[in-house]
Amino acid sequence: MLHIEKYAAVDIGSNAIRLLVASVIEQEGKDTLFKKTSLVRVPIRLGADVFLEGEISETNAARMVDAMQAFKLLVKTHNIVRFRACATSAMREAKNGAAIAENIENETGLKINIIDGNDEAAIIASTDLKSLIQDNKVFLYVDVGGGSTEFTIFADGHTVASRSFKLGTVRLINDMVEDTMWEQVEQWIKENTKEYTKVSMIGSGGNINHIYKNSGVKLGKPLSYFFLANYFELIRNYSYEERITELNMNPDRADVIIPATRIYLSAMKWGKAKNCYVPKIGLSDGIIKSLYNEKIAEKTSKVF
């Protein structure tokens, strides 16, 4: 007997806003399945406002209201039973972030939770990676966003370290990252992986998903450091326009793909990882999982 419900999660990032709709399928005596039903992405680059001007522009604030109104209709149409929207780096750093979140709730009825970097890393770490994270292996999980990158070390089947850094693709293309930030990330990765002889990387985010989709690598197999290094050199030799017309990238992907690849490559180098697995799991997946965990906790509390 199956029990099926639909959950929805909104990830308000520095580069884009995403709505994920997932079917949560409970099976008696088996693990619960989380099946992605729909993903809608709107490229409102909030980070370009915030990291340069310190606040979200009136134009993009209005676009956010429109996007959330559209998401509200989709949530209603899908008969969603549990919903949560989380905003990350751009919204939490914007001087008017809280005011805009309040206005969106007044206009649409949808509450936006502005979370800090540690919460973001924890939500991402809660995603179901059982198929990859095994007790006898060590993984460096790297989730690259527009405003920040979250790093998590998994060893012996559990999280041993996690941290968020203001090293994001939108910051990088606007030349807003000091060399000291790269040095801090390098030091953190080396310090937290030095005791392990073999580390693999798990890459998360739209850019690594794009690379993996177009890599020709068999589904489930990892990308090698050698492949990523060659890919990095390839895309650097194309202009922004050529990446759109010849490499078939979306305009809002064609500029951030280079700094994103640099972050992944650097993380692999500092962690001495030879392979990068790409399970297509990110913040929105973590939100869905956390909503389900809350449901289970509610049921348990009622029993006791």
Side-chain angles (χ1 to χ4, degrees):
M1 189 72 177
L2 299 181
H3 179 69
I4 303 173
E5 293 181 330
K6 280 188 178 180
Y7 293 4
V10 173
D11 170 7
I12 302 174
S14 302
N15 193 40
I17 300 176
R18 302 169 185 82
L19 167 69
L20 171 65
V21 176
S23 295
V24 180
I25 306 168
E26 293 179 305
Q27 313 170 85
E28 190 172 343
K30 294 184 179 180
D31 290 339
T32 299
L33 300 177
F34 298 85
K35 183 176 176 59
K36 296 180 184 182
T37 303
S38 175
L39 178 63
V40 180
R41 180 178 182 275
V42 184
I44 303 176
R45 190 165 281 181
L46 300 179
D49 286 344
V50 178
F51 306 144
L52 292 172
E53 305 297 334
E55 62 181 18
I56 296 168
S57 67
E58 289 185 10
T59 298
N60 278 340
R63 293 176 71 199
M64 288 182 69
V65 171
D66 289 342
M68 295 301 287
Q69 286 280 23
F71 288 172
K72 180 181 180 180
L73 290 173
L74 287 171
V75 164
K76 180 181 178 181
T77 304
H78 278 283
N79 293 319
I80 299 301
V81 299
R82 288 179 182 260
F83 168 88
R84 181 166 294 146
C86 290
T88 57
S89 185
M91 283 283 280
R92 65 177 171 251
E93 292 183 36
K95 289 183 289 186
N96 57 349
I100 287 175
E102 183 178 357
N103 181 57
I104 288 173
E105 185 172 3
N106 291 336
E107 292 285 335
T108 68
L110 300 179
K111 178 180 174 59
I112 294 175
N113 301 279
I114 300 176
I115 60 175
D116 65 25
N118 291 328
D119 287 338
E120 185 176 354
I123 291 172
I124 293 169
S126 73
T127 54
D128 192 358
L129 295 171
K130 285 187 292 186
S131 60
L132 281 178
I133 299 171
Q134 301 163 21
D135 290 348
N136 61 341
K137 292 187 177 181
V138 180
F139 293 94
L140 169 61
Y141 188 104
V142 182
D143 182 70
V144 176
S148 63
T149 297
E150 278 60 54
F151 298 89
T152 303
I153 309 293
F154 293 102
D156 301 321
H158 63 272
T159 303
V160 295
S162 187
R163 185 167 170 185
S164 175
F165 290 90
K166 291 182 179 180
L167 180 68
T169 57
V170 177
R171 290 187 200 272
L172 286 165
I173 63 174
N174 286 288
D175 196 26
M176 299 189 66
V177 176
E178 300 288 340
D179 289 341
T180 52
M181 180 58 66
W182 287 100
E183 292 166 4
Q184 289 176 44
V185 174
E186 178 180 3
Q187 182 180 2
W188 188 88
I189 292 175
K190 287 183 174 179
E191 180 66 26
N192 286 280
T193 59
K194 65 181 181 182
E195 65 181 276
Y196 307 111
T197 56
K198 188 176 181 180
V199 177
S200 293
M201 192 173 87
I202 298 173
S204 177
N207 290 290
I208 197 69
N209 289 343
H210 174 89
I211 295 169
Y212 191 76
K213 181 180 178 181
N214 294 279
S215 68
V217 173
K218 187 177 179 181
L219 189 65
K221 298 294 183 181
L223 299 174
S224 67
Y225 179 87
F226 179 74
F227 174 88
L228 270 182
N230 284 335
Y231 182 81
F232 185 54
E233 290 304 316
L234 169 71
I235 58 177
R236 288 176 66 187
N237 288 325
Y238 284 81
S239 67
Y240 169 73
E241 292 77 10
E242 288 171 337
R243 289 194 289 276
I244 295 171
T245 58
E246 297 187 34
L247 298 182
N248 199 32
M249 294 185 188
N250 290 329
D252 64 302
R253 176 77 62 214
D255 54 353
V256 295
I257 191 82
I258 289 179
T261 309
R262 180 187 173 193
I263 294 172
Y264 291 119
L265 273 174
S266 299
M268 291 184 78
K269 177 182 178 182
W270 297 329
K272 296 181 180 178
K274 295 181 179 179
N275 293 309
C276 174
Y277 292 88
V278 186
K280 290 190 177 182
I281 289 176
L283 180 64
S284 55
D285 300 272
I287 296 171
I288 297 289
K289 188 69 181 294
S290 64
L291 288 170
Y292 179 71
N293 289 340
E294 288 171 13
K295 173 190 173 180
I296 297 303
E298 289 167 7
K299 288 174 65 176
T300 303
S301 64
K302 287 178 181 179
V303 171
F304 294 99

